[in-house]
Amino acid sequence: MTRLFLLRVSILLLWFTSPAWAQLPTRLPNFPQGGNRTGGQPTTTGGSGASAGGAILDDSTKLIYGPKTTRFFLESDVLNNRKALITIDTTLEGVHRTSYIDRYDNLYTDLGNLGTALRSVFYQTPAIGSQTGLSAYGLYGYQTQNIRYFDTRSPYTNMYLVLGGRGQNIVNFDFTQNISERWNLGFNLQRMTSDVQFGGTTAVSSGTQRLAENWNFVVHSNYRSKNGKYTLLAHYNNLNHRSLDQGGVIEPDSGTSNAANPDLELRPVLSTANSREIRNDLHLYHQYVLDTAFQLYNIVDFRAQSYRFTDTDITDNLLPPDSSNLSRKPFYPRYYFDNLETRQTTLFRLLENQIGIKGQFSARGSAFNYRAWLRNRYYSLENRFNIGRLVPDSSYKSSRLETFVGGWLGYYFPDSLTRVTAEVEYLLGRDFRLQGRLESRLLTAGYESVFASPTLLQNRYTSNIYQWDHEGRLATRFDLRGTQHAYGQLNLKLGKLILSPGMDYYLLTNYIYFDTAAVPQQLSSAFSILQTSLSWQFRAGRFTMAGQGYYTLVSNDDVLRIPTLLANARFEYNFLLFKKLYVLAGVQFHYKSAYYADQYMPVTQQYHLQNETKLGDYIMAEPYANLRINRVRLFLKLAHANQGLLDQTYYSAPYFRTINRSFSFGVHWLLFD
């Protein structure tokens, strides 16, 4: 066992120290539709029995460990008194979905390359309480609610390598092992990098200039007492993300000197800008069961977040606009103190402590669950800029103690497939959240009402480039943002066809947006969003067809831009080669209708309105093949395969091209002993 572990560590060190692998990242993706889904058993696409990774007995009655002997759970399972453990997924569906855009069904968009700033395509209900508003890189790290806690009968290793083409690389290495029957310890390691694609002949031709790089490390542990009354879950999460900020690319003139490869003539708007975000989170959950109907729990979080933006030469991007020459258009709207450079740092610290009671009752096949809590949050924020540049009033600090009270109720019907839940939480003197939800075999429906404070960045910000204050005595204060959201979805099975039509309706009040100058504004009038959706899946023998479509109408698209139509589709066929090699081959498509997508401002890490460039109205096609032999899964994918076929250029954000056609290869290897 020790030799095997040392071998795995040696392989990992070789990957990170070898020049070929030195650019790679690390973390098993959380695929929404397979690949690494939280649950599921091997299907016909992945074989069965020993070849599918299941635990069996060989002729000498020696136990062969596999996915069924390595199981995990989430913190929400313990919090909601769900006993079931989840087995490791070994299916082939979704293995090729390695990019973060792919993993979230194209419901997020970036700046065209791995590791660049993310934003949601659709409206998202805000969280209550004080939030930083700096979230463009958050999804590149492990999420607290998705941290897996294991119970293993043998050491478990998960190794994942993606060579994404054009300098996009991912490496994940996870290891966990039970120290004793009731105590498990493990870690997750992620390394992710991408190279500059557009923006200067030297950078593109050499392929050595790094655009983004990411390190993410998690160490996790769980323990339960011998009598099962006490449970402890804990993890430490560190994210370190760095990115060059190009501000977009400037298109070459029609008379470019390199007509054979005009991409080499593209140059970035910003040439000396970069940003870096570091997050640290120490998380603790523990509970004690006095009785099934009365349990005590406590959740403690200490979080630290820092965001730094630096541009050491802002002179060229402060020139007055010149409509005859795009290269003369300024990126920064103004400067307040320093016309040579800008340096911005935001530091955020949060200590949160939640104590509560919970329990469950059962009667005549039905069950009742409850939870009540008191939550205290203390945060401190420091914002400073151009320190050492003789700038007056170059920093400010703020802090606040927030107290929340909340409750949750759940009723589970005897059929075990139908449940009703309700939740309410109130920040004393300010924010409020109310949610209700019905889930059954046929219907999922719910309603939520949220009144949330502006983010800290929306309320106040001071820098060399931007300054606003909506907290001072003489300032125009922002009101609570209101969201009323009603939704419903049917789940219909018609033979081999599964249809899930749905509808969402939002009514927004006091909506805060960033205008074309990248400055926050609040809309006093209310407006609405109506969204209809349809998910489908059709299986016939070895053939599968699946996808989702969304049709969205916004009553005020002057402040919120969403594509009217967004659709994904995939067509797959699975078969067996040489009696050992399972293959799932297919092609996936993505489409967004044309709309004025938001533009990115790296100084504040915010997307904002723009009225100059329409994006979308373009279909992206990507063929792929997922393969598995024994416990090793592989994939081959041609990303953006139809690039240039209709003489169109695809932009993922204004002035940011999506990466050109590229070939991706990946290996996912599970070891259970």
Side-chain angles (χ1 to χ4, degrees):
M1 182 181 299
T2 302
R3 292 180 179 178
L4 285 174
F5 176 71
L6 292 175
L7 175 62
R8 296 165 194 168
V9 173
S10 300
I11 294 174
L12 176 66
L13 292 175
L14 178 61
W15 281 344
F16 281 103
T17 56
S18 169
W21 311 126
Q23 306 175 13
L24 310 178
T26 53
R27 160 168 171 262
L28 185 64
N30 187 14
F31 298 108
Q33 292 187 345
N36 188 34
R37 297 170 298 175
T38 55
Q41 299 294 329
T43 65
T44 54
T45 60
S48 60
S51 63
I56 63 171
L57 296 176
D58 64 11
D59 293 337
S60 64
T61 69
K62 180 181 178 181
L63 184 64
I64 305 298
Y65 298 105
K68 294 183 179 179
T69 62
T70 299
R71 300 178 295 175
F72 68 90
F73 58 93
L74 306 178
E75 182 178 306
S76 59
D77 297 325
V78 179
L79 183 63
N80 293 303
N81 297 308
R82 293 192 290 260
K83 303 294 185 181
L85 294 174
I86 306 168
T87 56
I88 301 297
D89 188 2
T90 59
T91 63
L92 284 177
E93 294 180 6
V95 173
H96 64 285
R97 301 175 66 180
T98 58
S99 75
Y100 285 77
I101 304 302
D102 245 0
R103 299 177 194 184
Y104 291 98
D105 291 323
N106 296 287
L107 301 183
Y108 283 83
T109 186
D110 57 14
L111 302 180
N113 206 339
L114 183 68
T116 54
L118 291 165
R119 75 171 178 91
S120 174
V121 176
F122 297 143
Y123 174 78
Q124 289 187 321
T125 302
I128 64 174
S130 297
Q131 310 293 326
T132 64
L134 301 173
S135 58
Y137 301 116
L139 286 180
Y140 290 121
Y142 292 90
Q143 308 302 305
T144 293
Q145 66 272 20
N146 294 329
I147 297 294
R148 297 180 172 189
Y149 298 96
F150 284 84
D151 184 4
T152 67
R153 296 181 62 184
S154 64
Y156 167 62
T157 306
N158 175 8
M159 295 185 289
Y160 183 69
L161 165 69
V162 175
L163 303 177
R166 298 185 179 272
Q168 299 180 102
N169 302 303
I170 301 173
V171 171
N172 297 325
F173 185 89
D174 305 336
F175 177 80
T176 186
Q177 180 177 356
N178 268 40
I179 306 302
S180 68
E181 183 181 358
R182 303 184 307 278
W183 179 26
N184 178 274
L185 182 65
F187 67 86
N188 312 108
L189 185 63
Q190 169 178 280
R191 173 67 170 162
M192 176 178 66
T193 62
S194 62
D195 289 345
V196 171
Q197 302 299 310
F198 312 106
T201 303
T202 302
V204 175
S205 60
S206 65
T208 57
Q209 186 172 350
R210 189 65 53 78
L211 177 68
E213 57 182 335
N214 171 288
W215 284 97
N216 197 188
F217 175 73
V218 173
V219 56
H220 58 82
S221 183
N222 69 90
Y223 169 82
R224 67 182 185 276
S225 62
K226 188 174 182 179
N227 59 10
K229 290 185 176 295
Y230 178 75
T231 301
L232 170 67
L233 313 176
H235 71 257
Y236 167 72
N237 188 350
N238 171 261
L239 170 69
N240 192 330
H241 193 96
R242 186 191 67 82
S243 175
L244 287 181
D245 293 303
Q246 295 183 299
V249 294
I250 299 173
E251 300 289 344
D253 297 330
S254 57
T256 177
S257 60
N258 194 342
N261 192 356
D263 288 348
L264 297 181
E265 298 301 320
L266 297 170
R267 65 184 184 86
V269 175
L270 304 178
S271 57
T272 59
N274 65 84
S275 58
R276 184 175 185 179
E277 180 162 324
I278 299 176
R279 298 189 181 198
N280 290 281
D281 183 7
L282 181 60
H283 180 83
L284 171 70
Y285 172 94
H286 57 147
Q287 69 175 35
Y288 188 80
V289 180
L290 297 170
D291 184 80
T292 304
F294 189 80
Q295 307 167 27
L296 303 175
Y297 74 92
N298 176 226
I299 304 174
V300 180
D301 268 294
F302 176 74
R303 300 173 188 169
Q305 178 182 0
S306 68
Y307 177 66
R308 292 177 171 86
F309 172 81
T310 303
D311 191 343
T312 56
D313 185 4
I314 64 174
T315 306
D316 289 343
N317 287 291
L318 287 170
L319 295 174
D322 183 351
S323 58
S324 64
N325 188 345
L326 181 62
S327 66
R328 304 295 290 176
K329 182 177 179 180
F331 183 80
Y332 302 117
R334 69 187 68 79
Y335 73 92
Y336 284 95
F337 302 105
D338 194 335
N339 66 347
L340 297 179
E341 67 178 53
T342 187
R343 300 175 182 271
Q344 186 70 27
T345 300
T346 301
L347 303 174
F348 178 77
R349 301 290 185 270
L350 173 69
L351 178 61
E352 181 172 321
N353 182 44
Q354 179 181 155
I355 56 174
I357 58 173
K358 65 188 182 82
Q360 60 180 350
F361 307 89
S362 298
R364 299 180 180 179
S366 60
F368 175 79
N369 227 348
Y370 77 92
R371 190 166 70 248
W373 64 86
L374 174 69
R375 181 161 65 105
N376 287 306
R377 301 170 81 238
Y378 177 79
Y379 79 82
S380 64
L381 175 74
E382 181 179 359
N383 189 299
R384 56 177 183 253
F385 67 93
N386 287 40
I387 298 296
R389 300 282 297 177
L390 303 178
V391 174
D393 300 322
S394 60
S395 66
Y396 69 85
K397 298 180 180 180
S398 64
S399 61
R400 176 174 289 169
L401 175 65
E402 301 176 325
T403 301
F404 302 74
V405 291
W408 182 90
L409 295 173
Y411 178 74
Y412 303 83
F413 289 80
D415 63 4
S416 73
L417 298 174
T418 306
R419 62 180 177 180
V420 178
T421 59
E423 183 175 4
V424 62
E425 189 171 32
Y426 174 54
L427 168 57
L428 300 183
R430 272 173 45 214
D431 300 11
F432 177 78
R433 175 172 59 91
L434 172 67
Q435 294 176 313
R437 184 179 177 90
L438 166 66
E439 297 176 78
S440 68
R441 183 193 298 270
L442 178 64
L443 172 68
T444 300
Y447 174 79
E448 62 178 348
S449 176
V450 174
F451 292 92
S453 299
T455 66
L456 297 176
L457 186 141
Q458 291 170 345
N459 258 338
R460 184 180 181 185
Y461 190 75
T462 302
S463 73
N464 186 42
I465 305 297
Y466 291 104
Q467 294 189 8
W468 58 77
D469 186 356
H470 297 282
E471 292 182 324
R473 293 181 179 179
L474 301 179
T476 302
R477 289 181 174 268
F478 282 159
D479 295 323
L480 294 180
R481 299 169 290 167
T483 300
Q484 313 302 314
H485 178 206
Y487 59 92
Q489 178 176 291
L490 293 173
N491 307 300
L492 307 174
K493 186 172 184 180
L494 307 173
K496 298 179 180 180
L497 178 64
I498 299 176
L499 293 176
S500 298
M503 179 176 291
D504 291 76
Y505 176 78
Y506 294 87
L507 179 63
L508 307 184
T509 55
N510 297 324
Y511 178 69
I512 298 178
Y513 62 96
F514 284 80
D515 62 17
T516 55
V519 174
Q521 305 289 345
Q522 186 164 59
L523 184 69
S524 58
S525 59
F527 69 99
S528 61
I529 306 170
L530 178 63
Q531 182 178 88
T532 58
S533 61
L534 177 65
S535 298
W536 70 90
Q537 184 179 84
F538 175 78
R539 293 184 184 271
R542 297 181 177 273
F543 175 76
T544 300
M545 177 182 68
Q548 315 88 29
Y550 303 87
Y551 182 77
T552 307
L553 296 175
V554 181
S555 66
N556 189 346
D557 61 1
D558 290 334
V559 297
L560 179 61
R561 276 77 184 272
I562 297 176
T564 303
L565 182 63
L566 185 151
N568 303 305
R570 58 184 173 92
F571 303 89
E572 299 175 334
Y573 185 80
N574 73 82
F575 54 93
L576 181 64
L577 285 178
F578 313 117
K579 300 181 180 181
K580 288 287 187 180
L581 182 63
Y582 295 91
V583 181
L584 180 65
V587 59
Q588 64 184 22
F589 299 93
H590 170 63
Y591 171 80
K592 279 196 289 279
S593 59
Y595 74 117
Y596 287 99
D598 288 351
Q599 185 176 351
Y600 183 63
M601 171 51 68
V603 177
T604 56
Q605 203 184 105
Q606 302 298 306
Y607 279 87
H608 65 90
L609 296 176
Q610 60 88 26
N611 299 313
E612 300 172 349
T613 304
K614 258 191 175 182
L615 306 186
D617 199 24
Y618 182 93
I619 296 177
M620 182 177 289
E622 298 181 325
Y624 58 88
N626 301 333
L627 309 96
R628 189 178 65 75
I629 181 167
N630 294 327
R631 292 173 179 169
V632 179
R633 290 182 290 180
L634 307 95
F635 79 86
L636 307 170
K637 183 174 75 171
L638 185 61
H640 202 175
N642 60 322
Q643 178 232 337
L645 293 184
L646 299 176
D647 198 27
Q648 289 180 302
T649 301
Y650 187 72
Y651 289 81
S652 60
Y655 314 113
F656 286 91
R657 284 191 179 189
T658 296
I659 192 170
N660 288 339
R661 184 186 301 110
S662 60
F663 178 76
S664 302
F665 167 78
V667 180
H668 185 194
W669 190 8
L670 303 177
L671 299 175
F672 296 96
D673 49 25

